[in-house]
Amino acid sequence: MPFSLIDLLQALSAGLLVGSTYALMCIGLGIIFGSMRVINFAQGDFLMLGMYAAFYLTTGFGLLVFLGPYAGPIIAAFLAGPIVFLIGWVLHRYIVSRVTGAGVAQIEGAGAYGQIIVTLGISLILQNGGLIVFGSTPTGIRTPLSRSSWEIGDVLLNQGRCVSFIVAIVLAGAVYLFLSHTRLGKGLRAAADNSQAALYMGIDVDRAHRIAWSLGVGITAVAGGLVASSQTFQPYVGFDFVIVMYAGVVLGGLGSILGAFWGGLLIGVVQQMSTLVLPYQLQNTTIFVVFLLIIFLRPQGIFGRLSERT
């Protein structure tokens, strides 16, 4: 199917806008895997919690109604992060920590198998608990920004996604600076690189893992709050995004925060560009074709060798 230069620019711009939110999701997942080496199958469900937290803050309880329809949803997306951060902290303290960390490495039932079972269990609980609490009816946050576009030449840019793009870039930059230049961030990286050496240096590895887990799910929840203003969602929406998150993290390079960002951005661009030649329903198929090509040509990911820890 032939397409014009305008169509190409429109798909590229849409891919960058959507990909920035994907990049934020991938950063959250990348922090957890990079710090703890835990494959968190519940990450998409923490994204779902972020969506519902932003929804109820904006419309359900009207707590942010005084901010208006423009600023309210953005502030709600930010506040979804601390809310899910606390939920993640509690879950790690009483459940996840039982199968992760240096102290349980030799315990039967710990390790990769225990982590997979525990995170799958958390995922099922969050999904079905969300179904009971929130119901199955799709909902969303309707804002004037999400219904309006800026016109640059012949290219239309959705205003809501443009604002989400700016928020995602700023937050991703803040996370990078936090991990690279703060004492706590350096402690998290040290615990990730060598937990035994970090213990000898006086770093509380269990606390570092708890912070990394909570920070990872909190950042992903902010991304969920941003997505909530551009599409409808229900308690099982997390599964649609967890595949995208893992594809982005692996593409960028496992353990690389910078790689997770670029991997998520690439996923968004590929997804939107594919609509030029393929039906909408086959977007994710294109993602996995690119995913398999990268794995075949560069198994460590785009940034796996150059920036294993960033």
Side-chain angles (χ1 to χ4, degrees):
M1 180 184 297
F3 52 85
S4 66
L5 177 61
I6 297 301
D7 294 331
L8 182 65
L9 292 175
Q10 183 68 60
L12 178 61
S13 61
L16 291 173
L17 296 181
V18 173
S20 64
T21 310
Y22 289 169
L24 199 58
M25 301 176 193
C26 292
I27 287 175
L29 182 61
I31 289 174
I32 292 176
F33 184 85
S35 299
M36 304 173 59
R37 292 295 188 267
V38 171
I39 300 175
N40 181 19
F41 286 102
Q43 193 75 4
D45 302 295
F46 287 109
L47 179 88
M48 175 268 294
L49 290 181
M51 291 177 169
Y52 277 103
F55 171 77
Y56 281 106
L57 286 172
T58 304
T59 60
F61 300 127
L63 297 179
L64 301 178
V65 68
F66 68 94
L67 294 175
Y70 292 93
I74 302 301
I75 301 301
F78 269 112
L79 293 179
I83 292 172
V84 177
F85 179 97
L86 293 176
I87 296 174
W89 184 280
V90 172
L91 287 174
H92 186 279
R93 170 66 179 82
Y94 294 102
I95 300 177
V96 180
S97 62
R98 309 296 181 180
V99 292
T100 62
V104 298
Q106 305 302 321
I107 298 177
E108 184 178 359
Y113 294 118
Q115 294 163 11
I116 290 173
I117 293 172
V118 166
T119 57
L120 278 175
I122 292 174
S123 174
L124 292 173
I125 291 172
L126 292 179
Q127 287 177 14
N128 290 282
L131 189 62
I132 295 171
V133 175
F134 306 128
S136 60
T137 303
T139 188
I141 302 174
R142 299 287 178 248
T143 71
L145 289 175
S146 63
R147 296 191 296 267
S148 305
S149 297
W150 285 305
E151 186 173 349
I152 301 178
D154 293 322
V155 177
L156 299 177
L157 301 178
N158 182 272
Q159 294 181 10
R161 286 182 172 174
C162 287
V163 173
S164 296
F165 175 85
I166 295 172
V167 172
I169 296 297
V170 170
L171 184 54
V175 171
Y176 179 82
L177 292 176
F178 165 74
L179 293 175
S180 301
H181 295 88
T182 66
R183 183 179 180 86
L184 179 57
K186 291 178 181 178
L188 296 182
R189 296 172 64 193
D193 286 330
N194 192 319
S195 59
Q196 290 298 327
L199 285 172
Y200 295 146
M201 296 298 294
I203 296 174
D204 188 338
V205 174
D206 288 336
R207 178 174 176 270
H209 285 178
R210 189 163 299 130
I211 293 174
W213 171 276
S214 305
L215 182 64
V217 299
I219 291 171
T220 297
V222 174
L226 296 175
V227 172
S229 62
S230 61
Q231 71 173 66
T232 59
F233 54 91
Q234 33 72 28
Y236 289 96
V237 72
F239 180 77
D240 297 333
F241 288 96
V242 75
I243 298 174
V244 172
M245 283 188 269
Y246 272 104
V249 170
V250 174
L251 283 178
L254 292 172
S256 170
I257 303 303
L258 182 62
F261 175 83
W262 288 111
L265 204 62
L266 177 61
I267 290 295
V269 171
V270 169
Q271 186 185 66
Q272 296 300 314
M273 295 288 283
S274 69
T275 59
L276 295 174
V277 294
L278 294 174
Y280 175 81
Q281 294 82 356
L282 295 180
Q283 282 183 333
N284 287 343
T285 302
T286 311
I287 292 174
F288 286 110
V289 170
V290 174
F291 173 77
L292 292 175
L293 286 175
I294 294 292
I295 293 301
F296 178 74
L297 298 174
R298 189 175 174 84
Q300 71 272 33
I302 300 174
F303 290 89
R305 182 183 298 272
L306 297 177
S307 54
E308 187 176 350
R309 290 283 184 270
T310 58

